[in-house]
């Protein structure tokens, strides 16, 4: 862990110094994707300049080097989330593909008529739509855990929804809309006591806090590299070996085979059974560099900075009488995402107007339409911080926000 100097850190991120609309970029859309430090960009460039080859095939020097880099990244990911074995680490394109892999492979094999799959109402579409497909195919049922008034979760509701019929509980550790951090460990314990398996969508948590799969006792964990300083196109599926071993392959083709006969095939051992085709070595190398960078900063520093920014932004937003916040109003079990609406203003107008001040925020349904319907909000605006954001940026955001209603013809 290094001493935390945000201005020094920002120098590592070329995009953060870009001008947009003649102003310095204030990037507050980190839940969608984060920017990349030079360390990550250099690692990818270095890979292509010195080691590029198709791994797992050529016995030549570069082929061996590419394989070592790819497998080295897998080992780095294993350490990062404290998995037992690299056999449990599958590289995917992103969290979405990892969830689809579980649904199509585990879900199609193990879900039967009358079984239940339980998710939270705040899930991202990527953790809803694959399950809809499975329950439709298998005549099973998809059930939702709803939230409290304060956008948190009640264990009583959990115990009502998770029953002996529940086979899968799949939930995000942190909501990408509300910022709520859910008690995954407690839920996993309860779900296991009912005989269900637990899938943790770590897309919004893994970049921001230490996630330990053994401590959580997650059966599966998914996340995306691009939300944690890595490149797009690389994601991770962690699965307990006992489950992955029994699951059929998801995609078929090269690299995932052992022997192919004219009419049949035997499959490679884990983890390659689930990695069909030429792997994304660039992505794995970039993800490894991203983990190196994050661990050098240290989660303690990352969380301190994010908490300070989120608490400050919440305080400033609460001072504005026409702002409604969708998410916990205090910092307990809450991450660095704030969704809100401005009375009388469409979220897309809000995003367009603050953009003229250089502020990048998100507007829309955030790929969580069932949640939006539940909240009775067609859309919201959303800011999401990472450790490289500053208090000054929060001030610029709030100043630009305070001008929106005047732009749209309101008095204040
Ligand atoms: N799960 C959660 C909780 C997410 O927030 C997202 C992406 C995904 C899964 C899917 O990740 P992907 O990398 O496979 O696309 N969330 C967002 C967001 O909030 N704005 O843009 C993408």
């Amino acid at each position: 862990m290094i001493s935390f100097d945000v201005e020094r850190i920002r120098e590592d991120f070329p995009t953060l110094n870009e001008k947009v609309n003649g102003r310095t970029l204030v990037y507050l859309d980190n839940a969608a994707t984060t920017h990349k430090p030079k360390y990550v960009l250099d690692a990818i460039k270095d890979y292509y300049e010195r080691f590029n080859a198709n791994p797992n095939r050529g016995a030549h020097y570069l082929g061996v080097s590419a394989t070592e880099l790819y497998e080295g990244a897998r080992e780095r990911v294993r350490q990062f989330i404290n998995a037992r074995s690299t056999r449990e680490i599958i590289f995917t394109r992103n969290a979405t593909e990892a969830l689809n892999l579980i649904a199509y492979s585990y879900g199609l094999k193990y879900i039967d008529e009358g079984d239940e799959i339980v998710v939270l109402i705040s899930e991202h579409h990527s953790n809803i739509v694959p399950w809809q497909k499975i329950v439709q195919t298998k005549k099973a049922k998809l059930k939702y855990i709803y939230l409290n008034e304060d956008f948190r979760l009640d264990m009583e509701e959990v115990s009502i929804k998770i029953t002996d019929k529940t086979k899968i509980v799949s939930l995000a550790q942190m909501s990408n809309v509300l910022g709520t951090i859910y008690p995954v460990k407690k839920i996993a314990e309860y779900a296991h006591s009912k005989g269900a398996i637990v899938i943790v969508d770590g897309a919004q948590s893994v970049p921001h806090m230490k996630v330990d799969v053994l401590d959580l006792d997650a059966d599966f964990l998914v996340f995306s590299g691009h939300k944690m300083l890595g490149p797009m196109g690389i994601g991770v599926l962690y699965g307990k070996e006992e489950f992955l071993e029994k699951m059929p392959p998801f995609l078929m083709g090269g690299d995932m085979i052992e022997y192919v006969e004219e009419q049949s095939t035997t499959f490679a051992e884990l983890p390659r059974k689930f990695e069909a085709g030429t792997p994304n070595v660039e992505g794995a190398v970039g993800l490894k560099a991203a983990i190196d960078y994050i661990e050098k900063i240290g989660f303690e520093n990352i969380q301190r900075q994010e908490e300070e920014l989120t608490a400050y932004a919440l305080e400033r937003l609460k001072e504005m009488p026409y702002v409604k916040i969708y998410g916990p109003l205090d910092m307990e079990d809450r991450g660095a995402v704030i969704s809100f609406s401005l009375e009388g203003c469409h979220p897309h107008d809000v995003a367009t107007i603050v953009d003229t001040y250089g502020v990048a925020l998100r507007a829309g349904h955030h790929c969580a339409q069932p949640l939006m319907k539940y909240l009775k909000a067609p859309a919201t605006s959303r800011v999401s911080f990472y450790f490289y954001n500053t208090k000054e940026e929060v001030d610029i955001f709030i100043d630009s926000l305070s001008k929106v209603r005047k732009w749209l013809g309101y008095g204040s």
Side-chain angles (χ1 to χ4, degrees):
M1 201 166 79
I2 54 165
S3 71
F4 191 82
D5 176 352
V6 71
E7 291 307 330
R8 230 296 297 123
I9 285 167
R10 288 175 69 82
E11 289 169 13
D12 292 343
F13 291 81
T15 328
L16 297 181
N17 298 312
E18 283 294 301
K19 298 266 183 247
V20 292
N21 299 321
R23 314 233 180 187
T24 303
L25 170 69
V26 174
Y27 185 78
L28 304 181
D29 194 17
N30 293 287
T33 199
T34 64
H35 288 294
K36 323 300 172 196
K38 275 186 284 203
Y39 182 75
V40 168
L41 302 174
D42 288 347
I44 294 169
K45 187 159 174 274
D46 191 50
Y47 161 66
Y48 277 122
E49 287 179 351
R50 296 174 56 209
F51 303 111
N52 174 52
N54 203 323
N56 302 335
R57 292 158 209 241
H60 56 74
Y61 173 80
L62 287 184
V64 172
S65 303
T67 307
E68 280 172 5
L69 284 172
Y70 188 63
E71 293 306 323
R74 198 190 305 278
E75 167 57 18
R76 192 77 182 85
V77 171
R78 184 203 66 75
Q79 290 165 9
F80 182 60
I81 60 169
N82 196 29
R84 283 201 176 91
S85 158
T86 48
R87 292 164 61 82
E88 301 180 315
I89 307 296
I90 316 291
F91 284 122
T92 62
R93 275 194 305 143
N94 44 41
T96 301
E97 188 180 87
L99 287 164
N100 274 273
L101 191 162
I102 309 169
Y104 278 93
S105 175
Y106 186 94
L108 282 183
K109 184 166 177 184
Y110 291 108
I111 295 298
D112 292 318
E113 189 170 342
D115 287 345
E116 294 180 354
I117 296 173
V118 175
V119 299
L120 306 187
I121 189 64
S122 54
E123 294 310 319
H124 187 278
H125 294 160
S126 297
N127 197 22
I128 293 178
V129 186
W131 303 121
Q132 289 178 342
K133 171 79 183 165
I134 299 303
V135 298
Q136 282 159 13
T137 309
K138 294 296 190 140
K139 298 197 177 68
K141 198 170 165 193
L142 182 59
K143 284 184 16 183
Y144 289 85
I145 290 175
Y146 299 109
L147 304 176
N148 285 345
E149 293 284 283
D150 67 352
F151 306 94
R152 292 191 176 100
L153 186 148
D154 198 334
M155 279 310 283
E156 202 184 316
E157 165 77 354
V158 171
S159 66
I160 292 169
K161 294 291 164 65
I162 301 176
T163 68
D164 294 334
K165 286 188 180 168
T166 310
K167 292 290 179 298
I168 295 176
V169 177
S170 190
L171 77 164
Q173 193 167 13
M174 176 173 137
S175 161
N176 68 317
V177 180
L178 307 170
T180 314
I181 296 171
Y182 299 110
V184 167
K185 193 175 168 172
K186 247 166 115 177
I187 295 169
E189 207 179 311
Y190 188 77
H192 287 147
S193 77
K194 295 285 173 190
I197 63 148
V198 175
I199 301 164
V200 179
D201 174 355
Q204 297 295 345
S205 56
V206 171
H208 303 277
M209 63 176 87
K210 180 73 194 163
V211 175
D212 178 327
V213 289
L214 295 184
D215 178 55
L216 291 179
D217 199 14
D219 298 302
F220 295 94
L221 170 78
V222 305
F223 56 97
S224 291
H226 70 92
K227 293 184 197 288
M228 49 181 286
L229 312 180
M232 291 189 178
I234 188 85
V236 172
L237 164 67
Y238 157 81
K240 283 185 186 162
E241 194 169 339
E242 59 183 289
F243 295 117
L244 292 175
E245 216 33 276
K246 292 187 298 189
M247 285 159 55
F250 171 48
L251 299 173
M252 316 283 161
D255 265 26
M256 49 73 74
I257 58 98
E258 183 188 34
Y259 294 110
V260 181
E261 305 284 348
E262 279 195 23
Q263 300 299 331
S264 64
T265 296
T266 53
F267 303 118
E269 294 275 305
L270 289 173
R272 282 171 60 188
K273 179 170 92 174
F274 290 108
E275 292 182 358
T278 298
N280 180 0
V281 186
E282 163 197 339
V285 164
L287 178 59
K288 176 189 173 293
I291 294 172
D292 289 345
Y293 191 94
I294 285 174
E295 290 201 334
K296 206 169 104 206
I297 302 285
F299 276 118
E300 217 175 283
N301 284 325
I302 289 173
Q303 280 182 297
R304 194 183 324 107
Q305 179 72 358
E306 289 183 6
E307 272 174 35
E308 196 179 313
L309 296 173
T310 310
Y312 181 57
L314 279 173
E315 188 188 310
R316 298 281 324 258
L317 285 169
K318 282 192 256 176
E319 285 164 6
M320 300 167 123
Y322 43 80
V323 167
K324 179 171 165 54
I325 296 169
Y326 295 91
L329 294 176
D330 57 48
M331 289 307 297
E332 201 188 319
D333 298 332
R334 175 190 225 306
V337 168
I338 307 175
S339 281
F340 60 93
S341 63
L342 238 62
E343 202 181 303
C345 309
H346 194 282
H348 284 121
D349 291 338
V350 175
T352 307
I353 294 170
V354 300
D355 183 54
T356 64
Y357 295 93
V359 177
L361 56 71
R362 192 76 160 187
H365 53 61
H366 315 292
C367 295
Q369 284 182 327
L371 175 68
M372 291 293 141
K373 201 163 177 191
Y374 176 70
L375 297 175
K376 298 188 177 64
T380 69
S381 304
R382 180 189 73 182
V383 287
S384 49
F385 306 112
Y386 210 13
F387 60 85
Y388 47 58
N389 288 123
T390 65
K391 238 175 140 179
E392 291 70 43
E393 288 184 311
V394 176
D395 285 332
I396 295 170
F397 153 60
I398 295 288
D399 286 350
S400 67
L401 197 63
S402 69
K403 297 188 176 102
V404 168
R405 279 171 52 95
K406 285 196 193 116
W407 269 58
L408 294 175
Y410 295 92
S412 64

